[in-house]
Amino acid sequence: MSDSVRAMTSRGFFAGRTVTELGREMSAGRLSAAELVDQALDSIDSLDAPINAFVTVDAEGARLAARQADAERAAGVDRGPLHGIPVAVKDIIDTAGMATRMGSAHFADHIPDRDATCVRLLREAGAVIVGKTTTHEFAYGPTGDVSHNGPSRNPYDTALMTGGSSGGSAAAVAAGMVPLAVGTDTGGSVRIPAALCGVFGFKPAYGAIPIDGVFPLASSLDHVGVLAGTAEDCGVAYRVLAGQAPPGAAEETPVRVAWLVTDSAVVDPAVAALVRGRFPDSEEIALPGVAELFRTYATIQGSEAYAVHADRVARSPHLFNPEVLDRLRHGEIPGWRYVRAVAARESFRRQASALLDRYDLLALPTVAVLAPPIGAREADIAGARVPVRDSLLTLTSLWNLAGLPALSVPAGVVGGLPVGAQLVCAPGREELLLAYADRLRGGHAALLAG
Amino acid sequence: MSDSVRAMTSRGFFAGRTVTELGREMSAGRLSAAELVDQALDSIDSLDAPINAFVTVDAEGARLAARQADAERAAGVDRGPLHGIPVAVKDIIDTAGMATRMGSAHFADHIPDRDATCVRLLREAGAVIVGKTTTHEFAYGPTGDVSHNGPSRNPYDTALMTGGSSGGSAAAVAAGMVPLAVGTDTGGSVRIPAALCGVFGFKPAYGAIPIDGVFPLASSLDHVGVLAGTAEDCGVAYRVLAGQAPPGAAEETPVRVAWLVTDSAVVDPAVAALVRGRFPDSEEIALPGVAELFRTYATIQGSEAYAVHADRVARSPHLFNPEVLDRLRHGEIPGWRYVRAVAARESFRRQASALLDRYDLLALPTVAVLAPPIGAREADIAGARVPVRDSLLTLTSLWNLAGLPALSVPAGVVGGLPVGAQLVCAPGREELLLAYADRLRGGHAALLAG
């Protein structure tokens, strides 16, 4: 693979535009929500056919909501930083009256009656829901290329994966079709596609954003998260969805960053070198036992996912994609192994918490590889054949186990493809994490200029 | 079965004597810890052969501890209400330098290096550990009649069960060999033998008494509890072990008691009528779904117990009692069923919590039957054949699921055998529970007089 930049041939209106800037323009009367929705719809129209970021586009509903947002603003009502901002929502998150298909034939005709709480919070904040984005079937896959609605495709090269499961949300932001999207993250499903598509993806702490109305994958690991073009915009959406106040003045003290050296995950050396280079002042800390932690993760996720789907598997197995069905059935694990996995998770939580007593942030690559080709199931990393799923999930799933806030930051490009750096913090340190990530933007800017 | 009272032919020194009274006598110099230990050892010597409450008696260690307690008191040191009080400890709770056999051939020669935290707390409070009491093998049975060290036998009729698994602790207190004993309660293992042996047994809230150094049965359900002749003495021991301050003035407001009417547990009508009669002012509240809750309990307990024992089962199955081994193997349940059981438990916790917003206490029988014969595995209740294990566990295991404080109170006798009433409260209302139970003592006094 050459080191030349594979630039997207064209990008939508929102490329390089932030939620914060758009809000300022609207406040100043130089831009309207109606114009933004039209820009989003035009961008989707012109760009999305090869990418397949969107499953459903609600042009009519979005235009109506945008007009309401404009009318409110004209009447002096300001709902805050998301007022009038077009947002895309992953298609496993309920939207009242709008199809929510879970990437599955089981839900091909499903239209929820109610909004998920996170969608309600977006609407209450004045956001305009433009449509629903492609998800890996039932969010059960980090590749993003298995969906009843077709795979999402990487805007940098449509032969490649977006990563998943929130692949459509990442691609929609990366291609500039919307400035902000909501996803879910059970083992990395926000951060993985964010890394592979070159955008920011933030999974707050477990429970920070209300999960109800989101189709479950593995209930003790499921998180709602956000994807945007900047860390600042992730912060804006996070605060709205998690009910957090805007940050005070940034801390001036040096940020202590630990670079985690994992023992067993096979990481593409070019990816590792690039990301490592972004944290020159960090201290190297060994994190042993990562392969065993990944098994712990898989045991918990598999058991909980099967608890969600057991009756559906028994009743209509033919409606699942065979790969997803196979993976679900691998979740038929003895309960005592689940019990031991939960105990091992507790032990890792204590270990991570102790690390975060000593360091403000933990840094490591988001994903061990560059975006693999759609359909690939093995990757060649430094001469080793590794399951693609493991190479995508190993470094992100740690933080679902730990339940800690974790952000993927565009760190640069290798062979023209985006690479993500992952930052992890203790609950309560989200603003420090976001502010630090904001200062790392150089790599992202370079990428966008390419 | 006749209604004549089967009185114990003889009872030990501590019958009818409370910890509080003994402490007062020692404070006044009319009694010494050395004398109390000798009384305990004499009572065990003369009474325990047919009862088998004790697995290990540490005469030498106890006499030494008692002399130390007396010397401290003489020097003006008062360690509080347990200073100099003889206490028996269930044989799955670690005692440094004293055999701790778990009722199992696997641990026939096991001598721990360290005290369990609850034992350390007892010693720090000046209590004198007299010995270790018979437990059902690995505490995995409510009958108390399966142990490598032989069954414990009911002091009221040694052909009958004590109930279990803390059968030796209950029998030791019931027979007056010690005034106080410590047990553990995963599904009723303190309250069941307390009910069948006619003493008080208190399981505080989950986590209230430190569990470390106690051999696990099912870690999300395991509790340490106490057994004594009065509710007040349970309170004394509870406060020491849970680090609680002595109560302030008792509340004067009327106590709102809900009598729980369960839909599916088969309860001996004579037991139900007796216990119901102790709460004439309570309001009847239906608690549906008890059979399903018992399955939920069994799924969680079975999976967690197998997680503890899986390696031991694989390595040396012959060292288990066959019934215990069979029960362990029944714990090889699919993980997704465990996951669903944990979700059902959460739902029951919310339901119980809502009930305890409306009522101060919940009341129901502790056990559905009178003490069955040793070895019995089916009970005849109102014409139905019911597994003895279910009849013992169903009404107590609810409160392990809920993690709530629960006390078994001697409520009277049927056919000469003790019957227990169970009282449940919200965490933080323990003192109200204990004070209320103290006022119910009439039935216990009548029993002791019999």
Side-chain angles (χ1 to χ4, degrees):
Chain A
M1 186 173 285
S2 85
D3 267 0
S4 68
V5 171
R6 303 189 205 177
M8 288 182 231
T9 47
S10 69
R11 301 180 77 208
F13 175 81
F14 295 98
R17 288 188 164 93
T18 70
V19 167
T20 311
E21 290 156 11
L22 295 168
R24 205 157 40 224
E25 294 296 297
M26 282 192 281
S27 291
R30 290 191 290 268
L31 204 54
S32 70
E35 286 171 271
L36 290 187
V37 154
D38 285 337
Q39 292 288 0
L41 296 172
D42 287 352
S43 300
I44 295 167
D45 263 357
S46 62
L47 296 170
D48 198 40
I51 295 173
N52 194 35
F54 281 88
V55 178
T56 300
V57 176
D58 180 24
E60 192 182 342
R63 287 200 178 100
L64 179 64
R67 281 198 298 272
Q68 279 179 345
D70 286 332
E72 284 189 341
R73 200 186 290 274
V77 175
D78 182 353
R79 290 181 176 266
L82 296 187
H83 191 138
I85 299 293
V87 177
V89 175
K90 185 179 185 181
D91 207 24
I92 64 162
I93 300 175
D94 282 354
T95 41
M98 198 189 312
T100 300
R101 299 192 169 94
M102 328 295 179
S104 162
H106 287 277
F107 287 87
D109 304 316
H110 180 63
I111 300 179
D113 292 332
R114 300 180 51 180
D115 281 334
T117 297
C118 61
V119 171
R120 177 175 63 72
L121 291 168
L122 287 172
R123 292 198 207 272
E124 287 173 3
V128 173
I129 312 296
V130 173
K132 306 298 288 288
T133 56
T134 303
T135 173
H136 201 100
E137 183 169 317
F138 285 120
Y140 206 10
T143 52
D145 57 357
V146 170
S147 167
H148 189 59
N149 313 107
S152 49
R153 294 172 175 276
N154 197 307
Y156 282 82
D157 181 340
T158 55
L160 305 182
M161 294 175 185
T162 52
S165 61
S166 311
S169 288
V173 172
M177 302 179 207
V178 286
L180 182 67
V182 176
T184 61
D185 189 315
T186 301
S189 281
V190 159
R191 290 160 290 154
I192 294 164
L196 300 190
C197 294
V199 301
F200 286 77
F202 184 44
K203 172 198 87 64
Y206 181 76
I209 300 180
I211 198 84
D212 73 274
V214 176
F215 197 88
L217 171 51
S219 61
S220 77
L221 301 164
D222 289 343
H223 298 67
V224 176
V226 295
L227 301 102
T230 65
E232 190 186 355
D233 285 353
C234 285
V236 165
Y238 157 70
R239 283 169 219 125
V240 165
L241 291 171
Q244 297 292 316
E251 298 180 43
E252 291 297 322
T253 54
V255 176
R256 301 163 301 168
V257 179
W259 173 260
L260 295 187
V261 181
T262 59
D263 58 342
S264 52
V266 181
V267 182
D268 181 325
V271 168
L274 174 74
V275 181
R276 179 74 188 90
R278 302 304 306 277
F279 305 97
D281 298 329
S282 61
E283 189 177 335
E284 294 202 353
I285 295 291
L287 182 69
V290 164
E292 180 58 30
L293 287 167
F294 188 59
R295 282 190 288 274
T296 293
Y297 166 77
T299 296
I300 294 174
Q301 192 208 28
S303 301
E304 295 183 356
Y306 203 74
V308 172
H309 289 286
D311 307 309
R312 211 170 280 113
V313 166
R315 204 171 51 231
S316 4
H318 60 285
L319 291 179
F320 287 94
N321 168 280
E323 188 182 64
V324 171
L325 182 64
D326 182 61
R327 199 167 172 207
L328 277 170
R329 285 180 167 153
H330 269 89
E332 290 190 274
I333 295 162
W336 63 275
R337 290 198 183 277
Y338 177 87
V339 170
R340 287 187 180 183
V342 168
R345 170 167 69 183
E346 280 310 308
S347 164
F348 177 58
R349 284 180 177 173
R350 286 191 295 272
Q351 182 189 359
S353 174
L355 261 179
L356 286 166
D357 286 342
R358 291 164 53 207
Y359 298 93
D360 298 307
L361 299 176
L362 313 179
L364 69 169
T366 307
V367 172
V369 293
L370 299 172
I374 284 179
R377 290 299 178 262
E378 281 203 323
D380 186 336
I381 308 179
R385 301 296 292 171
V386 178
V388 161
R389 195 187 288 150
D390 298 10
S391 73
L392 296 175
L393 277 171
T394 300
L395 301 180
T396 48
S397 58
L398 291 166
W399 316 113
N400 298 79
L401 270 187
L404 293 172
L407 174 74
S408 183
V409 181
V413 292
V414 170
L417 292 173
V419 167
Q422 195 177 188
L423 289 168
V424 179
C425 71
R429 308 300 302 278
E430 293 84 358
E431 295 297 346
L432 178 136
L433 172 89
L434 293 163
Y436 181 89
D438 214 45
R439 297 200 295 273
L440 282 177
R441 279 186 73 186
H444 184 45
L447 177 69
L448 295 183
Chain B
M1 184 174 284
S2 85
D3 266 359
S4 68
V5 173
R6 303 189 207 177
M8 289 183 231
T9 48
S10 69
R11 302 180 77 208
F13 175 82
F14 296 98
R17 288 187 165 92
T18 71
V19 168
T20 311
E21 291 156 11
L22 295 168
R24 206 157 38 224
E25 294 295 299
M26 283 192 281
S27 290
R30 289 190 290 267
L31 202 55
S32 71
E35 286 172 89
L36 290 187
V37 154
D38 285 339
Q39 291 289 1
L41 296 172
D42 287 352
S43 300
I44 295 167
D45 262 359
S46 62
L47 295 170
D48 198 39
I51 295 173
N52 195 34
F54 281 88
V55 177
T56 301
V57 177
D58 180 23
E60 192 182 342
R63 286 199 180 101
L64 180 64
R67 281 197 300 272
Q68 280 181 345
D70 286 333
E72 284 189 343
R73 199 185 292 273
V77 176
D78 181 354
R79 290 180 177 266
L82 295 187
H83 191 140
I85 299 292
V87 176
V89 174
K90 185 179 184 180
D91 207 26
I92 63 162
I93 301 176
D94 281 354
T95 42
M98 197 190 311
T100 301
R101 298 193 168 94
M102 327 296 179
S104 162
H106 287 275
F107 288 87
D109 305 316
H110 180 64
I111 300 179
D113 293 331
R114 299 180 51 180
D115 281 333
T117 297
C118 61
V119 171
R120 178 176 62 74
L121 291 169
L122 287 172
R123 293 196 206 271
E124 288 173 3
V128 173
I129 312 295
V130 173
K132 305 298 288 289
T133 56
T134 304
T135 173
H136 201 100
E137 183 168 317
F138 286 121
Y140 206 7
T143 52
D145 58 357
V146 171
S147 167
H148 189 59
N149 313 107
S152 49
R153 294 172 174 276
N154 197 308
Y156 282 82
D157 180 341
T158 55
L160 304 182
M161 294 174 184
T162 53
S165 60
S166 311
S169 288
V173 172
M177 303 180 207
V178 286
L180 182 66
V182 176
T184 61
D185 190 315
T186 300
S189 281
V190 159
R191 291 160 288 153
I192 294 165
L196 301 191
C197 295
V199 301
F200 286 77
F202 183 44
K203 172 197 88 63
Y206 182 75
I209 300 180
I211 198 86
D212 72 277
V214 176
F215 197 87
L217 171 52
S219 62
S220 77
L221 300 165
D222 289 343
H223 297 67
V224 176
V226 295
L227 301 102
T230 65
E232 191 186 355
D233 284 355
C234 285
V236 165
Y238 157 69
R239 283 170 219 126
V240 165
L241 291 170
Q244 296 292 317
E251 297 180 43
E252 291 297 322
T253 54
V255 177
R256 300 163 301 167
V257 179
W259 173 259
L260 294 187
V261 181
T262 60
D263 58 342
S264 52
V266 181
V267 182
D268 181 327
V271 168
L274 173 74
V275 181
R276 179 73 188 90
R278 302 304 305 276
F279 305 98
D281 298 329
S282 62
E283 189 177 335
E284 294 202 352
I285 295 291
L287 182 70
V290 164
E292 181 59 29
L293 287 167
F294 187 59
R295 282 190 288 274
T296 294
Y297 165 78
T299 297
I300 294 174
Q301 192 209 28
S303 301
E304 295 183 355
Y306 203 74
V308 172
H309 289 285
D311 308 309
R312 211 170 278 113
V313 166
R315 206 171 51 230
S316 2
H318 59 287
L319 291 180
F320 287 95
N321 168 279
E323 188 182 66
V324 171
L325 181 63
D326 182 62
R327 200 165 172 209
L328 277 169
R329 285 180 167 151
H330 269 89
E332 289 191 276
I333 296 161
W336 62 275
R337 290 197 183 276
Y338 177 87
V339 170
R340 287 188 178 181
V342 168
R345 170 168 70 183
E346 281 311 308
S347 164
F348 176 58
R349 284 180 178 174
R350 286 192 294 272
Q351 183 189 358
S353 175
L355 261 180
L356 286 166
D357 286 342
R358 291 164 52 208
Y359 298 94
D360 299 306
L361 300 176
L362 312 180
L364 69 168
T366 306
V367 173
V369 292
L370 299 173
I374 284 180
R377 289 301 178 259
E378 281 203 324
D380 186 337
I381 307 179
R385 301 296 293 170
V386 179
V388 161
R389 196 188 288 149
D390 298 8
S391 72
L392 295 176
L393 277 171
T394 300
L395 301 180
T396 48
S397 58
L398 292 166
W399 316 113
N400 298 79
L401 271 186
L404 294 172
L407 175 74
S408 182
V409 181
V413 292
V414 169
L417 292 172
V419 167
Q422 195 176 191
L423 289 168
V424 179
C425 71
R429 308 302 301 278
E430 293 83 358
E431 295 297 347
L432 178 135
L433 172 88
L434 292 164
Y436 181 89
D438 215 44
R439 296 201 294 273
L440 282 177
R441 280 184 73 184
H444 185 44
L447 178 67
L448 295 183

